[in-house]
Amino acid sequence: MLQKMYDWVDERLNITPMWRDLADHEVPEHVNPAHHFSAFVYCFGGLTFFITVIQILSGMFLTMYYVPDIINAYESVKYLQNEVAFGVIVRGMHHWGASLVIVMMFLHTLRVFFTGSYKRPRELNWVVGVLIFFVMLGLGFTGYLLPWDNTAYFATKVGLEIANSVPLIGPYLKTLLTGGDIVGATTLSRFFAIHVFFLPGALLGLLGAHFVMIRVQGISGPL
Amino acid sequence: MAKQDKDATFVGDSRISAKRIPNIAPSYSDFPGKSEPFWPNFLLKEWMVAAVCLVGFLVLTVSHPSPLTDLANPNDTSFIPLPDWYFLFLYQLLKYPWAAGDWVVLGTVVIPGIAFGALMLAPWLDTGKDRRPSRRPVATGLMLTALVGIFYLTWAADHEHSLNHASSKGGSGGHGGGSGAAAPAAPADPSFKPDPLWTAQTGCMGCHGKNMEGALGPNLQKIGSQLDAAQIAEVIKNGKGQMPGGLIQDEAEIQKLAEYLASLK
């Protein structure tokens, strides 16, 4: 039955080659921890992606309760944390996941750096990876404001003052992010939009490029 | 299109070849070493690693609920701002005099710009063929130096924050550079004589001192000039910063003590 359904789709869309590219490729011995335990360092990229998926899913559930305005944001997070069934778990996963994803990405970057995997012909994939790093830091910065508590408010205020001190573009950058003169209602809306739409969009595009390149080139060989 | 076989047949009027490729995995025995297929062999192992991480992650989530401080209050001048931990090293950089004030551009643009720029351009800065870390000492050395710097700055920021936090009552926000930005605590008055209401509260004296001169907790000898009775009662009940609440249970006793403290100006 399943085979028939597969054949039916395959006849129309020729998915077998796509399936081959996506899932069925060889995994060489030197990256397989089953053969060499030290190869566990090759797991960090996959774990970064795994936690990114958790971040996307938990974030989607958070937006079912979160309200991005200065009157209700704090109350909605408090309600989510204290009243909603499993709310504390979902918010906790998003909160701690944000730190974990940075840790995993940091370890992945170090693995790629110290194995020299960024060298020819993989330069472009390295650049895309560094851009993913920046997008993740941007997600961390914008997400930190959203609960609209004192920690969030003052950290963002300082962050925007730092942005303001950058010569030439600083003041424009600050105005773009705050949407006015003070950290207030428009700032929260903008940070929400950046955190939920702009940066995840950029992230998915960059991740797609990252994965296509690794599929095309294959993983770097043994040292 | 030009290279299509002349007698190739397609499915209907589409460009999908009518000739089917069977979905059978190639044998990886032809590949060097002990290669194995990603699907499903290796993915299963990867999932086991992921599951172990997920368990650790969930234990962390359940044992440490995510923090939520009070509703943002722009007028709260005593709140010491702290970015998320992974920005601490950049934040700490701006507290050093050589990267603050007139030199702030150094701390905000030049140093991070060079560091992250070099990271991004690493493939073109380190063009040698050799991939072993020991065979490219410059790249390895620079990265290790950067790592030591990042770890040190993060530690220094956290250490400084915990020191500030302990002595911050009535202090200023401490942002905008300058490591000594927290205002010093009010000097203790040695001739100050507390009311018996105070000396009865051994729970308070432990941190605020026998004569309210302050020790672990701040000096309270002139606390009435900063807070009124209701605010003091609130602090006694709920705690503040490092101070725990609920040390005094009796409502009337809290009220009396708060009124006494509020009268000290």
Side-chain angles (χ1 to χ4, degrees):
Chain A
M1 177 66 184
L2 273 175
Q3 186 61 44
K4 274 199 173 148
M5 282 162 70
Y6 180 89
D7 289 342
W8 190 88
V9 177
D10 189 44
E11 188 193 357
R12 280 155 185 81
L13 297 175
N14 199 20
I15 56 176
T16 297
M18 287 187 237
W19 166 250
R20 284 263 169 279
D21 289 345
L22 192 75
D24 203 1
H25 50 86
E26 47 115 29
V27 176
E29 182 186 339
H30 72 282
V31 305
N32 194 335
H35 295 303
H36 306 283
F37 182 70
S38 61
F40 74 87
V41 294
Y42 286 90
C43 286
F44 295 130
L47 289 175
T48 309
F49 179 60
F50 178 59
I51 297 172
T52 305
V53 171
I54 290 178
Q55 289 302 91
I56 292 171
L57 291 176
S58 59
M60 278 158 53
F61 281 103
L62 289 180
T63 55
M64 296 175 105
Y65 286 94
Y66 180 74
V67 185
D69 75 60
I70 53 173
I71 313 263
N72 297 308
Y74 180 78
E75 291 305 323
S76 66
V77 174
K78 203 170 174 184
Y79 178 73
L80 181 73
Q81 175 101 346
N82 297 321
E83 310 286 334
V84 177
F86 300 112
V88 65
I89 302 286
V90 175
R91 178 162 180 255
M93 289 185 83
H94 204 71
H95 175 88
W96 295 113
S99 293
L100 269 184
V101 88
I102 300 279
V103 171
M104 293 299 173
M105 194 166 50
F106 182 68
L107 294 173
H108 176 58
T109 308
L110 290 183
R111 191 282 290 171
V112 173
F113 186 87
F114 284 119
T115 56
S117 305
Y118 55 83
K119 287 170 179 265
R120 189 183 127 85
R122 296 189 175 76
E123 299 99 323
L124 287 175
N125 216 1
W126 169 263
V127 171
V128 169
V130 175
L131 291 177
I132 290 175
F133 206 124
F134 293 155
V135 170
M136 288 288 192
L137 289 179
L139 282 165
F141 180 68
T142 50
Y144 206 54
L145 178 70
L146 299 185
W148 201 249
D149 59 356
N150 270 330
T151 320
Y153 178 83
F154 287 103
T156 303
K157 214 173 150 191
V158 174
L160 290 172
E161 274 166 26
I162 292 171
N164 193 32
S165 73
V166 173
L168 297 176
I169 60 162
Y172 297 103
L173 190 64
K174 188 191 172 213
T175 310
L176 179 72
L177 289 170
T178 42
D181 296 326
I182 56 158
V183 177
T186 46
T187 319
L188 186 61
S189 304
R190 286 189 180 203
F191 271 52
F192 179 75
I194 293 170
H195 186 79
V196 173
F197 294 104
F198 288 79
L199 290 179
L203 181 71
L204 290 178
L206 289 168
L207 281 179
H210 207 59
F211 295 156
V212 166
M213 281 192 258
I214 189 77
R215 251 321 28 81
V216 169
Q217 299 180 318
I219 197 156
S220 57
L223 281 176
Chain B
M1 290 295 109
K3 286 201 175 163
Q4 287 285 6
D5 208 335
K6 232 188 262 169
D7 43 46
T9 50
F10 296 97
V11 178
D13 61 352
S14 75
R15 295 176 202 165
I16 305 271
S17 165
K19 215 177 120 193
R20 303 258 52 82
I21 307 162
N23 182 22
I24 298 165
S27 164
Y28 290 106
S29 53
D30 301 341
F31 290 89
K34 296 175 196 140
S35 291
E36 67 176 347
F38 176 75
W39 173 276
N41 307 30
F42 189 70
L43 190 64
L44 180 67
K45 289 172 191 162
E46 238 177 22
W47 172 248
M48 290 192 292
V49 174
V52 171
C53 286
L54 187 62
V55 169
F57 182 12
L58 284 174
V59 167
L60 173 71
T61 303
V62 171
S63 61
H64 291 77
S66 31
L68 187 64
T69 51
D70 291 335
L71 174 65
N73 175 11
N75 299 321
D76 182 351
T77 52
S78 68
F79 197 88
I80 300 178
L82 188 73
D84 219 348
W85 64 267
Y86 42 87
F87 288 116
L88 280 180
F89 70 104
L90 290 170
Y91 181 56
Q92 181 69 11
L93 196 58
L94 302 176
K95 291 189 180 169
Y96 295 109
W98 44 266
D102 292 345
W103 300 97
V104 73
V105 177
L106 209 62
T108 53
V109 181
V110 179
I111 296 176
I114 289 177
F116 284 108
L119 187 74
M120 177 149 342
L121 297 177
W124 292 277
L125 297 173
D126 176 25
T127 50
K129 275 241 161 70
D130 227 311
R131 284 178 41 209
R132 286 175 181 278
S134 54
R135 300 260 181 82
R136 39 193 188 98
V138 177
T140 308
L142 284 174
M143 181 54 108
L144 289 177
T145 314
L147 287 181
V148 170
I150 288 172
F151 279 109
Y152 171 74
L153 287 172
T154 306
W155 172 82
D158 184 57
H159 181 65
E160 199 167 290
H161 184 75
S162 50
L163 286 183
N164 274 350
H165 208 274
S167 64
S168 74
K169 293 290 146 2
S172 73
H175 58 74
S179 46
D189 178 4
S191 61
F192 183 85
K193 281 278 169 276
D195 192 80
L197 262 175
W198 174 258
T199 45
Q201 299 298 346
T202 45
C204 307
M205 280 154 59
C207 293
H208 294 287
K210 261 187 194 160
N211 297 320
M212 304 187 195
E213 71 276 14
L216 253 181
N219 179 351
L220 300 180
Q221 290 170 351
K222 286 178 181 151
I223 188 69
S225 58
Q226 284 173 29
L227 301 173
D228 63 37
Q231 288 168 318
I232 294 173
E234 190 69 26
V235 173
I236 296 174
K237 268 182 239 167
N238 300 327
K240 186 178 181 188
Q242 307 232 319
M243 172 174 163
L247 287 177
I248 306 174
Q249 290 297 335
D250 184 2
E251 196 71 38
E253 210 177 341
I254 293 176
Q255 210 47 49
K256 263 196 263 169
L257 184 64
E259 272 164 24
Y260 163 63
L261 288 172
S263 70
L264 301 173
K265 286 183 186 173

Coordinates of all heavy atoms in Angstrom, one line a residue, chain A residues 70-123:
Chain A
I70 N 3.1 46.8 25.3 CA 3.7 47.1 26.6 C 2.7 46.9 27.8 O 3.2 46.7 28.9 CB 4.4 48.4 26.7 CG1 3.4 49.5 26.3 CG2 5.6 48.5 25.8 CD1 4.0 50.9 26.5
I71 N 1.4 46.9 27.5 CA 0.5 46.7 28.6 C 0.4 45.3 28.9 O 0.3 44.9 30.1 CB -0.9 47.3 28.2 CG1 -0.8 48.7 27.6 CG2 -1.9 47.2 29.4 CD1 -1.0 49.8 28.4
N72 N 0.3 44.4 27.9 CA 0.0 43.0 28.1 C 1.1 42.0 28.0 O 1.0 40.9 28.4 CB -1.1 42.6 27.0 CG -2.4 43.4 27.2 OD1 -2.9 43.4 28.3 ND2 -2.8 44.0 26.2
A73 N 2.3 42.5 27.5 CA 3.4 41.5 27.2 C 3.7 40.8 28.5 O 3.8 39.6 28.6 CB 4.6 42.3 26.6
Y74 N 4.0 41.7 29.5 CA 4.5 41.1 30.8 C 3.4 40.2 31.4 O 3.7 39.1 31.9 CB 4.9 42.2 31.8 CG 5.3 41.7 33.1 CD1 6.6 41.2 33.3 CD2 4.5 41.7 34.2 CE1 7.1 40.8 34.5 CE2 4.9 41.3 35.5 CZ 6.2 40.8 35.6 OH 6.7 40.4 36.8
E75 N 2.2 40.7 31.4 CA 1.1 39.9 32.0 C 0.9 38.6 31.2 O 0.6 37.5 31.9 CB -0.2 40.7 32.0 CG -0.2 41.9 32.9 CD 0.1 41.5 34.4 OE1 -0.3 40.4 34.8 OE2 0.8 42.3 35.0
S76 N 1.0 38.6 29.9 CA 0.8 37.4 29.1 C 1.9 36.4 29.4 O 1.7 35.2 29.5 CB 0.7 37.7 27.6 OG 1.9 38.2 27.1
V77 N 3.2 36.9 29.6 CA 4.3 35.9 29.9 C 4.1 35.4 31.3 O 4.2 34.2 31.5 CB 5.6 36.6 29.8 CG1 6.7 35.7 30.3 CG2 5.9 37.1 28.4
K78 N 3.6 36.2 32.2 CA 3.4 35.8 33.6 C 2.3 34.7 33.6 O 2.4 33.7 34.3 CB 3.0 37.0 34.5 CG 3.3 36.8 35.9 CD 3.1 38.1 36.6 CE 3.2 37.9 38.1 NZ 2.9 39.2 38.8
Y79 N 1.2 35.0 32.9 CA 0.1 34.0 32.8 C 0.6 32.7 32.2 O 0.3 31.6 32.7 CB -1.0 34.7 31.9 CG -2.2 33.8 31.7 CD1 -3.1 33.6 32.7 CD2 -2.4 33.2 30.5 CE1 -4.2 32.8 32.5 CE2 -3.5 32.4 30.2 CZ -4.4 32.2 31.3 OH -5.5 31.3 31.1
L80 N 1.3 32.8 31.1 CA 1.9 31.6 30.5 C 2.7 30.8 31.4 O 2.7 29.6 31.5 CB 2.7 32.1 29.3 CG 3.4 31.0 28.4 CD1 2.4 30.3 27.6 CD2 4.4 31.6 27.5
Q81 N 3.5 31.6 32.2 CA 4.5 30.9 33.1 C 3.7 30.2 34.3 O 4.1 29.2 34.7 CB 5.4 32.0 33.7 CG 6.4 31.5 34.7 CD 7.8 31.2 34.1 OE1 7.9 31.2 32.9 NE2 8.8 31.0 35.0
N82 N 2.7 30.9 34.8 CA 2.1 30.4 36.1 C 0.8 29.7 35.9 O 0.4 29.0 36.8 CB 1.9 31.6 37.0 CG 3.2 32.2 37.4 OD1 4.2 31.6 37.6 ND2 3.3 33.6 37.4
E83 N 0.0 30.0 34.9 CA -1.3 29.5 34.8 C -1.5 28.4 33.7 O -2.2 27.4 33.9 CB -2.4 30.6 34.5 CG -2.2 31.8 35.4 CD -2.8 31.5 36.8 OE1 -3.6 30.7 36.9 OE2 -2.3 32.2 37.7
V84 N -0.9 28.6 32.5 CA -1.2 27.7 31.4 C -0.5 26.4 31.7 O 0.6 26.3 32.2 CB -0.6 28.3 30.1 CG1 -0.7 27.4 28.9 CG2 -1.2 29.7 29.8
A85 N -1.3 25.3 31.3 CA -0.7 23.9 31.5 C 0.5 23.8 30.7 O 0.6 24.1 29.5 CB -1.8 22.9 31.1
F86 N 1.6 23.4 31.3 CA 2.9 23.1 30.7 C 3.5 24.4 30.1 O 4.5 24.4 29.4 CB 2.9 22.1 29.6 CG 2.4 20.8 30.1 CD1 1.2 20.2 29.7 CD2 3.2 20.0 30.9 CE1 0.7 19.0 30.2 CE2 2.8 18.8 31.4 CZ 1.5 18.3 31.0
G87 N 2.9 25.6 30.5 CA 3.5 26.8 30.0 C 4.9 27.0 30.5 O 5.8 27.5 29.7
V88 N 5.1 26.7 31.7 CA 6.5 26.9 32.3 C 7.5 26.0 31.6 O 8.6 26.4 31.4 CB 6.4 26.6 33.8 CG1 6.1 25.1 34.1 CG2 7.7 27.0 34.5
I89 N 7.1 24.8 31.1 CA 8.0 24.0 30.3 C 8.3 24.6 28.9 O 9.4 24.6 28.5 CB 7.4 22.6 30.1 CG1 7.0 21.9 31.5 CG2 8.3 21.7 29.3 CD1 8.2 21.5 32.3
V90 N 7.2 25.0 28.3 CA 7.4 25.6 26.9 C 8.3 26.8 27.0 O 9.2 27.0 26.2 CB 6.0 25.9 26.3 CG1 6.3 26.5 24.9 CG2 5.3 24.6 26.1
R91 N 8.0 27.7 27.9 CA 8.8 28.9 28.0 C 10.2 28.6 28.5 O 11.2 29.1 28.0 CB 8.2 29.9 29.0 CG 9.0 31.1 29.2 CD 8.4 32.3 29.8 NE 9.4 33.4 29.8 CZ 10.0 33.8 30.9 NH1 9.6 33.3 32.1 NH2 10.9 34.7 30.9
G92 N 10.3 27.6 29.4 CA 11.6 27.2 29.8 C 12.5 26.6 28.7 O 13.7 26.9 28.6
M93 N 11.8 25.8 27.8 CA 12.6 25.2 26.7 C 13.1 26.3 25.8 O 14.2 26.3 25.3 CB 11.7 24.2 25.9 CG 11.5 23.0 26.7 SD 10.6 21.7 25.8 CE 11.9 21.0 24.8
H94 N 12.2 27.3 25.6 CA 12.6 28.4 24.7 C 13.7 29.2 25.3 O 14.7 29.6 24.7 CB 11.4 29.3 24.3 CG 11.5 30.1 23.0 ND1 11.5 29.4 21.8 CD2 11.7 31.4 22.8 CE1 11.6 30.4 20.9 NE2 11.8 31.5 21.4
H95 N 13.6 29.5 26.6 CA 14.6 30.3 27.3 C 15.9 29.6 27.4 O 17.0 30.2 27.0 CB 14.1 30.6 28.7 CG 15.1 31.3 29.6 ND1 15.1 32.7 29.6 CD2 16.0 30.8 30.5 CE1 16.1 33.0 30.5 NE2 16.7 31.9 31.0
W96 N 16.0 28.4 27.9 CA 17.2 27.6 28.0 C 17.7 27.2 26.6 O 19.0 27.1 26.4 CB 17.1 26.5 28.9 CG 16.8 26.9 30.3 CD1 15.7 26.7 31.1 CD2 17.7 27.7 31.2 NE1 15.8 27.3 32.3 CE2 17.0 27.9 32.4 CE3 19.0 28.2 31.0 CZ2 17.5 28.6 33.5 CZ3 19.5 28.9 32.1 CH2 18.8 29.1 33.3
G97 N 16.8 26.9 25.7 CA 17.2 26.5 24.4 C 18.0 27.6 23.7 O 19.0 27.3 22.9
A98 N 17.6 28.9 24.0 CA 18.4 30.0 23.4 C 19.8 30.0 23.8 O 20.7 30.2 23.0 CB 17.7 31.3 23.8
S99 N 20.1 29.6 25.0 CA 21.5 29.5 25.5 C 22.2 28.3 24.9 O 23.3 28.4 24.4 CB 21.5 29.4 27.0 OG 21.1 30.6 27.6
L100 N 21.4 27.2 24.9 CA 22.0 25.9 24.4 C 22.4 26.0 22.9 O 23.4 25.5 22.5 CB 21.0 24.8 24.6 CG 21.1 24.0 25.9 CD1 20.1 22.9 25.8 CD2 22.5 23.5 26.1
V101 N 21.5 26.7 22.2 CA 21.8 26.8 20.7 C 23.1 27.6 20.5 O 23.9 27.2 19.6 CB 20.6 27.4 20.0 CG1 20.6 28.9 19.9 CG2 20.5 26.8 18.6
I102 N 23.3 28.6 21.3 CA 24.6 29.4 21.2 C 25.8 28.4 21.6 O 26.8 28.4 20.9 CB 24.5 30.6 22.2 CG1 23.4 31.5 21.8 CG2 25.9 31.3 22.2 CD1 23.6 32.4 20.7
V103 N 25.6 27.7 22.7 CA 26.7 26.8 23.1 C 27.0 25.8 22.0 O 28.2 25.6 21.6 CB 26.3 26.0 24.4 CG1 27.3 25.0 24.7 CG2 26.2 27.0 25.6
M104 N 26.0 25.1 21.5 CA 26.2 24.1 20.4 C 26.8 24.7 19.2 O 27.7 24.1 18.6 CB 24.9 23.4 20.1 CG 24.3 22.6 21.2 SD 25.4 21.3 21.7 CE 24.6 20.7 23.1
M105 N 26.3 25.9 18.8 CA 26.9 26.6 17.6 C 28.3 27.0 17.8 O 29.2 26.8 16.9 CB 26.0 27.8 17.3 CG 26.2 28.4 16.0 SD 24.9 29.5 15.6 CE 25.0 30.6 17.0
F106 N 28.6 27.4 19.1 CA 30.0 27.8 19.4 C 30.9 26.5 19.3 O 32.0 26.6 18.6 CB 30.0 28.3 20.8 CG 31.3 28.7 21.4 CD1 31.9 29.9 20.9 CD2 31.9 28.1 22.4 CE1 33.1 30.3 21.4 CE2 33.1 28.5 22.9 CZ 33.7 29.6 22.4
L107 N 30.5 25.4 19.8 CA 31.3 24.2 19.7 C 31.4 23.7 18.3 O 32.5 23.3 17.8 CB 30.6 23.1 20.6 CG 30.6 23.4 22.1 CD1 29.8 22.3 22.8 CD2 32.1 23.4 22.6
H108 N 30.3 23.8 17.5 CA 30.4 23.4 16.1 C 31.4 24.3 15.3 O 32.2 23.8 14.6 CB 29.0 23.6 15.5 CG 28.9 23.3 14.0 ND1 29.3 22.2 13.4 CD2 28.5 24.1 13.0 CE1 29.1 22.2 12.1 NE2 28.6 23.4 11.8
T109 N 31.4 25.6 15.6 CA 32.3 26.6 15.0 C 33.7 26.2 15.3 O 34.6 26.1 14.4 CB 32.0 28.0 15.5 OG1 30.7 28.3 15.3 CG2 32.9 29.0 14.7
L110 N 34.0 25.8 16.6 CA 35.3 25.4 17.0 C 35.8 24.2 16.3 O 36.9 24.0 15.9 CB 35.4 25.3 18.5 CG 35.3 26.6 19.3 CD1 35.5 26.3 20.8 CD2 36.3 27.6 18.9
R111 N 34.8 23.2 16.2 CA 35.2 21.9 15.5 C 35.6 22.2 14.1 O 36.6 21.8 13.6 CB 33.9 21.0 15.5 CG 34.2 19.6 15.1 CD 34.3 19.4 13.6 NE 33.1 19.5 12.9 CZ 32.9 19.5 11.6 NH1 34.0 19.5 10.8 NH2 31.7 19.6 11.1
V112 N 34.8 23.1 13.4 CA 35.1 23.4 12.0 C 36.4 24.1 11.9 O 37.2 23.8 11.0 CB 33.9 24.2 11.3 CG1 34.3 24.6 9.9 CG2 32.7 23.3 11.3
F113 N 36.6 25.0 12.8 CA 37.8 25.8 12.8 C 39.1 24.9 13.0 O 40.0 24.9 12.2 CB 37.8 26.9 13.8 CG 39.0 27.8 13.7 CD1 38.9 28.9 12.9 CD2 40.1 27.6 14.4 CE1 40.0 29.8 12.7 CE2 41.2 28.5 14.3 CZ 41.2 29.5 13.4
F114 N 39.0 24.1 14.1 CA 40.2 23.4 14.4 C 40.5 22.2 13.5 O 41.6 21.7 13.5 CB 40.2 22.9 15.9 CG 40.5 24.1 16.8 CD1 39.6 24.5 17.8 CD2 41.7 24.8 16.8 CE1 39.9 25.6 18.6 CE2 42.0 25.8 17.6 CZ 41.1 26.3 18.5
T115 N 39.5 21.7 12.8 CA 39.8 20.7 11.8 C 40.1 21.3 10.5 O 40.3 20.6 9.5 CB 38.6 19.7 11.6 OG1 37.4 20.5 11.3 CG2 38.3 18.9 12.9
G116 N 40.1 22.6 10.4 CA 40.5 23.3 9.1 C 39.5 23.0 8.0 O 39.8 23.1 6.9
S117 N 38.2 22.8 8.4 CA 37.3 22.4 7.4 C 36.8 23.6 6.6 O 36.0 23.4 5.6 CB 36.1 21.7 8.0 OG 36.5 20.6 8.8
Y118 N 37.2 24.8 7.0 CA 36.7 26.0 6.2 C 37.5 26.2 5.0 O 37.3 27.1 4.2 CB 36.7 27.2 7.1 CG 38.0 27.5 7.7 CD1 39.0 28.2 7.0 CD2 38.3 27.1 9.0 CE1 40.2 28.4 7.6 CE2 39.5 27.3 9.6 CZ 40.5 28.0 8.9 OH 41.7 28.2 9.5
K119 N 38.6 25.4 4.8 CA 39.5 25.7 3.7 C 38.9 25.3 2.4 O 37.9 24.5 2.3 CB 40.8 25.0 4.0 CG 41.6 25.6 5.1 CD 42.8 24.8 5.5 CE 43.6 25.5 6.6 NZ 44.7 26.3 6.1
R120 N 39.5 25.7 1.3 CA 39.1 25.4 -0.1 C 38.8 23.9 -0.2 O 39.6 23.1 0.3 CB 40.2 25.7 -1.0 CG 39.9 25.6 -2.5 CD 41.1 25.9 -3.3 NE 41.3 24.8 -4.3 CZ 40.7 24.8 -5.5 NH1 40.0 25.8 -5.9 NH2 40.9 23.8 -6.3
P121 N 37.6 23.5 -0.7 CA 36.6 24.4 -1.4 C 35.4 24.8 -0.6 O 34.4 25.0 -1.1 CB 36.2 23.4 -2.5 CG 36.2 22.1 -1.8 CD 37.3 22.1 -0.8
R122 N 35.5 24.8 0.8 CA 34.3 25.1 1.6 C 34.3 26.5 2.1 O 33.6 26.7 3.1 CB 34.3 24.0 2.7 CG 34.2 22.6 2.2 CD 33.9 21.6 3.3 NE 33.7 20.3 2.7 CZ 34.6 19.5 2.2 NH1 35.9 19.9 2.2 NH2 34.3 18.4 1.6
E123 N 34.9 27.5 1.5 CA 34.9 28.8 2.0 C 33.5 29.4 2.1 O 33.2 30.0 3.2 CB 35.8 29.7 1.1 CG 37.2 29.4 1.0 CD 37.5 28.6 -0.3 OE1 36.6 27.8 -0.7 OE2 38.5 28.8 -0.9

